[in-house]
Amino acid sequence: IMAKRLAEDGLLPDRILCSTAQRARETAELFVDAANLDVHVMFSGRLYLASPNEIRAFIADAAGDADRLMVVGHNPGLEELATGLTGTEVMM
């Protein structure tokens, strides 16, 4: 559903950063297949149960020249990062 919605809005990522955890890998692979994407997916253990600051640091290190980046990881780190970035409690 999200792959379709992002495609319709022209917001598909051009790089995906993903935890090495099995469920995260499966989620990223399902998204790539559903969106019919040809993008680089970078798998890293740094995202496994990472804090918001650790996620931000990894994004800074790994984003490269991506215009739109997708991060597939874990809560509570991702939820806390989204809340901190938006200033609004984000329910994931």
Side-chain angles (χ1 to χ4, degrees), residues 2-16 31 35 37 39 67-70:
M2 289 308 300
K4 182 179 177 184
R5 181 172 286 170
L6 291 175
E8 288 171 354
D9 292 342
L11 296 173
L12 289 170
D14 50 12
R15 176 168 291 175
I16 299 174
F31 183 89
L37 284 176
V39 299
D67 290 320
R68 282 180 303 280
L69 184 69
M70 179 177 176

Side-chain angles (χ1 to χ4, degrees), residues 30-69:
L30 287 169
F31 183 89
V32 167
D33 288 345
N36 196 30
L37 284 176
D38 181 23
V39 299
H40 177 70
V41 180
M42 177 185 285
F43 297 99
S44 175
R46 286 178 62 186
L47 289 172
Y48 186 73
L49 300 178
S51 71
N53 287 338
E54 291 168 328
I55 297 168
R56 286 178 75 137
F58 183 65
I59 290 170
D61 291 345
D65 60 352
D67 290 320
R68 282 180 303 280
L69 184 69

Side-chain angles (χ1 to χ4, degrees), residues 78-92:
L78 280 176
E79 185 173 339
E80 291 171 1
L81 176 63
T83 297
L85 291 173
T86 63
T88 304
E89 188 172 343
V90 177
M91 303 296 281
M92 292 188 183

